[in-house]
Structure formats: C-alpha cells, structure tokens
Amino acid sequence: MEGKMRWCANAREVGSGNTTVVLAHGYGADQGLWDNLVPSLSQTNKVLLFDWDFAAGEEEDDGGRYTFDRFADDLIALMDEKEVRGAVVVGHSMSAMAACIASVRRPELFAHLVLLCASPRYINSEEEGYVGGFERAGIDGMLDAMASDFDAWVRGFVPNAAGDPESVPHLEKSFLAMRPAVALEVAKMIFLGDQRDVLDDVTAPCTIVQVNNDFAAPPSVAEYMQRRMKGAEVAVEIIDSVGHFPQLVAPQQLLDILHGVLLRHGHPDEHGVQEEEGDGGIDATGMVGQRANI
C-alpha cells in the first residue's frame, strides 16, 4: 500500500469473480446507497464497498486537508490494500472526479470508469460558455445556510436531491451523520472547486451516466465532459429519472447500464454466458456503445 488512508472506512468485499467492481459513493451518503445493486452485481463479480468518513475529527494544523487529490489518494490506497487491479470503478458524484484523478495517477488499477452524476465544475462560467448549473451567489448562499444551521439545511436540501420521497429517510440519516464542520469543508471542496483540467488526462474508457432531471449535474455537463475527454473512449448514458441518486430511485436502469459495461468487457451475463475473449479477463479497450444523444 502506497499511503495511509484518511477517510476510507468499513471496506468490505462481497461476491466473487474475475473482476472487481468498486462502488464509491458521493457526498453525504454511505455504502448503503448501493444496496439495490449489490445482489445483482455480486452474482458474477467481486464487489468492493466502503464508506467515506465524513464524521472524522478535524486537524487544526491542516486547514487544506479536504482536496480531491487526497480523496483520490485514499481510493488508490484502498485498491492497493485490497490488491485490486483492472477494476470497473463506479464513482458517484464527488467520487467520480476523485476516480478520474486516481486513474491518471495509477492507470493499471482502472479498466473502466463509470462516472455517475458527475460534475467537474458546478459554477457557471459565462465567459467560457460553461454551464455547470449554479451561479456563485447561489453556492455561497448554500454554504452560508450550512454554516448557520446544518440540520435545517439537510432537511431542505435532501428532498430536492433525492427526487423521490421514499428515498429521503435513508439520505437524511446519512447526511445528518456527517460532522457539520467536516460536511461544510467538503462541500466547499466540491462546489467551489474546478476539476475540469483533469479530464484532459483521463485515458481509461469511461461511461458517463447522468439523470435527465438532476438539479446538481445537468446532462449538459455530461456533454462537456465527453468533449473534453479526448484521450479516452467515452460513452454517455442518460437515465430517465429525477434527482441525484439513481441508485435509490432508478436502480434497474442503472443496473442495466452497469451490466452492459461488464458484458462488453467479456464478463458473464445474468445467465452465466461469457462473451469470447482471449484470456477471459477484462478488456481495457472495450467500450459501451453510446445509446443517448445529448
């Protein structure tokens, strides 16, 4: 293992198979977010899950500790610890950009990136013609609300992010489990950050998955990412649903996409039939056909 993990906790592996699927949840969530997907994925694959520890104590001498680079280092350290190579890594929300950075640093770890509800930059930039979905004043107002009354902010934010009333209780519980000071600093990292430059360096095959009615990451962001990632083969899939958490709201649509990724890499389908491939392993050059026009 190359480094000590700061925020990866409760790592566990389920299932078995020649390929590991790493499920990395996003801000405010926990590994329970994947519960609807794990039974199916683990039938023919090893699945690695973990929690980002958003309740960790603060370090007074490390004011800049929350960076995408450090989350990427943690992901690398976890995969090294578990001896994972050539994985299909599903990064949700903030984890998508951490996975992109990690794939540039350690490409042998990543056979395919699934970037779920990803955004490299949330703030619009009129001079660059970039539409991230938010104005700076709106982001500042959100951060002020978090700092003022974190619990009240969660109870207002989560229903909009969930998109489905049935998903609200699970998300509220995980959001409220965050330490407010940590939650605020990580939110600043996410919503004020700009990770667009890393897209230029990604070479791993990617499937960008967006929800057509996601207030946080509109489909226009997927289009921008696809244009920018000139060094990688990139497909875009649009889920017909609402909210920022398709794992909870539209799990079957997401599973169909993930199984498509795995099938095109030569993994068994739901009937145990394996596509022909020389060594039976993962083909890092395989791609999912683009089914969505955006």
Side-chain angles (χ1 to χ4, degrees):
M1 188 174 76
E2 291 194 348
K4 180 180 179 181
M5 290 178 285
R6 295 174 175 86
W7 304 302
C8 284
N10 306 320
R12 63 188 179 100
E13 293 173 298
V14 297
S16 61
N18 294 328
T19 298
T20 299
V21 179
V22 180
L23 300 178
H25 67 79
Y27 177 77
D30 57 30
Q31 63 182 267
L33 190 69
W34 306 105
D35 284 354
N36 291 328
L37 280 64
V38 171
S40 179
L41 292 175
S42 61
Q43 287 182 12
T44 51
N45 305 279
K46 182 182 290 185
V47 179
L48 174 60
L49 304 106
F50 67 96
D51 294 319
W52 291 122
D53 186 2
F54 297 125
E58 297 172 275
E59 298 177 12
E60 295 181 0
D61 60 345
D62 195 3
R65 68 189 301 242
Y66 301 106
T67 67
F68 276 101
D69 287 338
R70 290 185 170 187
F71 280 100
D73 286 342
D74 254 25
L75 180 59
I76 290 170
L78 175 65
M79 294 173 75
D80 278 339
E81 181 181 84
K82 299 300 183 180
E83 299 183 344
V84 172
R85 297 291 183 274
V88 173
V89 178
V90 184
H92 174 238
S93 196
M94 62 164 268
S95 288
M97 299 315 302
C100 284
I101 295 169
S103 77
V104 172
R105 295 179 177 175
R106 295 285 301 281
E108 77 278 9
L109 303 183
F110 300 81
H112 199 105
L113 291 169
V114 179
L115 308 176
L116 177 61
C117 300
S119 178
R121 174 69 166 167
Y122 287 89
I123 299 175
N124 300 328
S125 177
E126 185 176 351
E127 62 273 16
E128 297 175 288
Y130 175 75
V131 180
F134 296 87
E135 296 296 334
R136 175 61 188 259
I139 296 294
D140 288 341
M142 182 191 74
L143 296 173
D144 287 344
M146 291 179 68
S148 175
D149 188 335
F150 180 70
D151 285 10
W153 174 79
V154 167
R155 298 187 193 284
F157 177 83
V158 165
N160 288 329
D164 173 17
E166 292 185 4
S167 302
V168 169
H170 175 94
L171 289 173
E172 276 194 352
K173 182 178 179 181
S174 62
F175 268 74
L176 290 171
M178 292 191 289
R179 182 182 177 125
V182 172
L184 178 59
E185 292 305 312
V186 176
K188 290 177 181 177
M189 176 197 85
I190 295 168
F191 290 104
L192 298 179
D194 188 347
Q195 309 305 312
R196 288 177 292 175
D197 285 350
V198 75
L199 299 175
D200 299 332
D201 299 323
V202 173
T203 58
C206 297
T207 301
I208 301 171
V209 184
Q210 300 287 53
V211 176
N212 62 2
N213 192 10
D214 178 0
F215 83 102
S220 60
V221 173
E223 183 179 23
Y224 172 87
M225 292 174 66
Q226 186 181 38
R227 290 198 310 268
R228 186 83 183 244
M229 299 170 84
K230 292 181 169 53
E233 294 181 85
V234 182
V236 172
E237 300 278 1
I238 304 297
I239 289 177
D240 183 15
S241 185
V242 296
H244 196 59
F245 296 90
Q247 307 97 313
L248 298 175
V249 180
Q252 189 57 54
Q253 289 189 62
L254 181 54
L255 271 173
D256 289 345
I257 293 169
L258 295 179
H259 283 308
V261 169
L262 292 165
L263 279 171
R264 286 166 176 80
H265 282 301
H267 301 307
D269 65 13
E270 62 271 21
H271 303 295
V273 178
Q274 178 137 341
E275 293 183 347
E276 292 184 3
E277 188 170 341
D279 60 0
I282 196 159
D283 175 7
T285 64
M287 271 307 300
V288 179
Q290 183 174 338
R291 297 202 304 253
N293 295 317
I294 60 174

